[in-house]
Amino acid sequence: MNKLPKISFRQINKLAIPAIISGIAEPLLSITDTAIVGNIHVNPTEALAAVGIAGSFISAIIWILAQTRSAISAVIAQYFGANKLKDIQQLPAQIILINVILSLLIYALTVFFVQNIFELYNASGLILEKSVSYYKIRAFGLPFTLFVFSVFGVFRGLQNTFWPMVISIIGASLNIVLDFILVFGIEDFIPAFEVEGAAWASVIAQGVMSLLALVLLLKKTPFSLKLKLPFHPEIKRLLSLSLNLIIRAISLNIALYMANAYATKYGANYIAAQTIAFQIWLFFAFFIDGYASAGNIMSGKFLGQKEYGKIWKLSSQLNRYTFFISLVLGMTCFMFYESIGMLFSKEKEVLSLFNSIFWIVLIMQPINAVAFVFDGIFKGLAEAVLLRNTLLASTFLGFIPVLLIGDYFDLKLYAIWIAFFVWMLMRGGILLIIFRKRFLPKKLT
């Protein structure tokens, strides 16, 4: 019997730790906005609700369009593993251009209908007004964000998560500083822009990140942004991968939309509490996703090398690491259970609602870990159709029915988070079963 190939903890962490730091930058921006806006002096609950609604819609757009990052990473990693990078020299410039044009079109389409969009979230009055104001500013950053994500995909395909980490640290740090300055203002110098200030802070930070990404792409990779036609033959496969991942992301965001729409229907305090819980869930998700990114990067390379035993070993090790990390994160939050919500709001009703469901967020973490690891591995294997179908099934056969049943019995936030629990259980369970069926016979190959 052949011995399984060894993949060292150091080898995985060399990719995973920078990916964790890079990955948590995006939710850290949202968490910073949430925490700071939730502590303004005038109408803090409405401001927090508005940022939660508008922020979730922006995240939905970014997640949908950013699926090309995973597709770029998978294709480049396979060529990298096969030592054929010279065959795709013009590919990154072509797909980055497509991404930026697409983001500009999305901005133009949504900015004119943003009030109608947020009314679908059940927003009204001051919450609707602040949501629209926040979005119209924050959406300026969409092309910047999509450009940065595309460049990150290139670096990940090259097995490099260091430079994305550097860009993310600078962007997140700048955003935090600007949040304090622009939201609260500086007496006799800069007025307090409140919700609009948080939006401008994000846009400026995203602009700086895009400039850094451009410089590092040109200096640290073998690719340029010089556009050459005709389109590379791999564009068709890359766009096909991206389209399936976009359909997947749309179904994911249907679940997120319904969660926020129902929370808003229950009242301002409910959507405020939901915003806090979801931002923490998102932070944990991106933290664990650092190891999923390592799975994405390494599985694509191993597939290019036809090292199927290493893919099996990689999944085993990543699941152990992320399961342990998720337990540590959950236990740490249980230790400070009452204090965490107070970082985001001082409103007693909001805190009471948040504390009532936060335990569900925490006990989900080990299940999330399994789901995210296999998400990453199958993205690296370019299995976009499988990922699409898994998310569709989990959303329409799991999340939505559970949410509707829970709402019928007036469970409110409990209904939302029980639905999330079932959603993640299905996502992880389906991918685990299929992975074992496909790769268990090959693990000693």
Side-chain angles (χ1 to χ4, degrees), residues 246-439:
I246 284 171
I247 294 171
R248 171 185 178 273
I250 289 172
S251 66
L252 182 152
N253 282 293
I254 287 171
L256 302 186
Y257 157 73
M258 291 191 69
N260 282 290
Y262 273 74
T264 306
K265 181 181 75 170
Y266 301 142
N269 289 324
Y270 286 88
I271 183 57
Q274 167 66 14
T275 297
I276 298 170
F278 183 71
Q279 291 299 339
I280 295 172
W281 185 91
L282 198 62
F283 178 83
F284 285 174
F286 276 87
F287 194 100
I288 296 170
D289 195 54
Y291 282 92
S293 296
N296 173 285
I297 294 163
M298 298 175 76
S299 63
K301 178 184 175 184
F302 294 153
L303 182 65
Q305 296 172 337
K306 302 187 185 304
E307 293 274 9
Y308 303 113
K310 285 187 177 181
I311 295 174
W312 176 271
K313 184 67 173 178
L314 176 67
S315 73
S316 177
Q317 290 181 255
L318 286 176
N319 274 301
R320 286 201 299 269
Y321 300 154
T322 56
F323 189 83
F324 174 75
I325 290 168
S326 67
L327 287 178
V328 171
L329 288 172
M331 291 170 63
T332 302
C333 287
F334 269 117
M335 290 172 59
F336 301 98
Y337 196 93
E338 297 289 335
S339 305
I340 290 173
M342 296 180 68
L343 296 173
F344 300 89
S345 177
K346 301 297 186 293
E347 302 294 312
K348 290 183 179 180
E349 181 63 25
V350 173
L351 290 173
S352 176
L353 290 168
F354 167 73
N355 289 333
S356 71
I357 50 88
F358 187 37
W359 62 273
I360 305 177
V361 178
L362 300 181
I363 65 171
M364 287 172 62
Q365 296 313 310
I367 296 169
N368 292 1
V370 174
F372 294 144
V373 164
F374 284 112
D375 251 11
I377 289 174
F378 278 115
K379 282 180 181 177
L381 300 175
E383 291 280 0
V385 173
L386 169 63
L387 291 169
R388 178 199 68 194
N389 292 341
T390 299
L391 224 301
L392 287 170
S394 301
T395 299
F396 290 99
L397 300 179
F399 182 90
I400 293 176
V402 172
L403 176 62
L404 294 178
I405 292 169
D407 179 65
Y408 176 80
F409 286 103
D410 200 31
L411 298 181
K412 295 184 177 176
L413 291 184
Y414 285 105
I416 293 171
W417 284 98
I418 292 170
F420 271 128
F421 190 96
V422 172
W423 189 57
M424 294 306 300
L425 191 64
M426 288 183 66
R427 287 175 61 182
I430 292 170
L431 294 179
L432 171 62
I433 290 168
I434 293 174
F435 183 84
R436 289 184 62 84
K437 183 178 179 180
R438 289 190 185 180
F439 286 93

Side-chain angles (χ1 to χ4, degrees), residues 125-344:
L126 187 58
I127 293 176
L128 178 61
E129 179 186 327
K130 289 183 176 293
S131 297
V132 170
S133 178
Y134 180 83
Y135 178 80
K136 285 185 174 180
I137 298 170
R138 179 85 187 271
F140 281 128
L142 282 175
F144 297 141
T145 302
L146 268 295
F147 176 78
V148 170
F149 275 21
S150 299
V151 174
F152 283 8
V154 173
F155 275 111
R156 288 184 177 190
L158 296 172
Q159 317 293 287
N160 185 326
T161 54
F162 176 77
W163 292 115
M165 176 190 72
V166 171
I167 295 169
S168 298
I169 289 173
I170 293 172
S173 301
L174 178 61
N175 188 87
I176 291 170
V177 172
L178 290 175
D179 256 334
F180 279 100
I181 293 172
L182 297 179
V183 172
F184 297 119
I186 298 176
E187 190 174 355
D188 299 325
F189 186 60
I190 297 175
F193 291 103
E194 298 184 343
V195 169
E196 290 83 358
W200 279 117
S202 295
V203 171
I204 294 168
Q206 288 160 350
V208 171
M209 289 172 70
S210 67
L211 287 174
L212 291 172
L214 173 62
V215 171
L216 290 171
L217 175 71
L218 298 177
K219 288 186 173 292
K220 300 296 182 181
T221 77
F223 305 114
S224 75
L225 288 183
K226 186 177 181 180
L227 188 65
K228 294 181 181 179
L229 297 176
F231 283 109
H232 191 280
E234 280 287 3
I235 280 285
K236 184 177 180 180
R237 179 165 79 107
L238 205 154
L239 290 177
S240 176
L241 288 172
S242 298
L243 179 60
N244 282 302
L245 290 172
I246 284 171
I247 294 171
R248 171 185 178 273
I250 289 172
S251 66
L252 182 152
N253 282 293
I254 287 171
L256 302 186
Y257 157 73
M258 291 191 69
N260 282 290
Y262 273 74
T264 306
K265 181 181 75 170
Y266 301 142
N269 289 324
Y270 286 88
I271 183 57
Q274 167 66 14
T275 297
I276 298 170
F278 183 71
Q279 291 299 339
I280 295 172
W281 185 91
L282 198 62
F283 178 83
F284 285 174
F286 276 87
F287 194 100
I288 296 170
D289 195 54
Y291 282 92
S293 296
N296 173 285
I297 294 163
M298 298 175 76
S299 63
K301 178 184 175 184
F302 294 153
L303 182 65
Q305 296 172 337
K306 302 187 185 304
E307 293 274 9
Y308 303 113
K310 285 187 177 181
I311 295 174
W312 176 271
K313 184 67 173 178
L314 176 67
S315 73
S316 177
Q317 290 181 255
L318 286 176
N319 274 301
R320 286 201 299 269
Y321 300 154
T322 56
F323 189 83
F324 174 75
I325 290 168
S326 67
L327 287 178
V328 171
L329 288 172
M331 291 170 63
T332 302
C333 287
F334 269 117
M335 290 172 59
F336 301 98
Y337 196 93
E338 297 289 335
S339 305
I340 290 173
M342 296 180 68
L343 296 173
F344 300 89

Side-chain angles (χ1 to χ4, degrees), residues 1-6 307 309 312 441-445:
M1 183 178 288
N2 297 326
K3 186 177 180 181
L4 281 174
K6 183 178 180 181
E307 293 274 9
W312 176 271
K442 296 181 179 180
K443 73 174 183 176
L444 297 179
T445 301

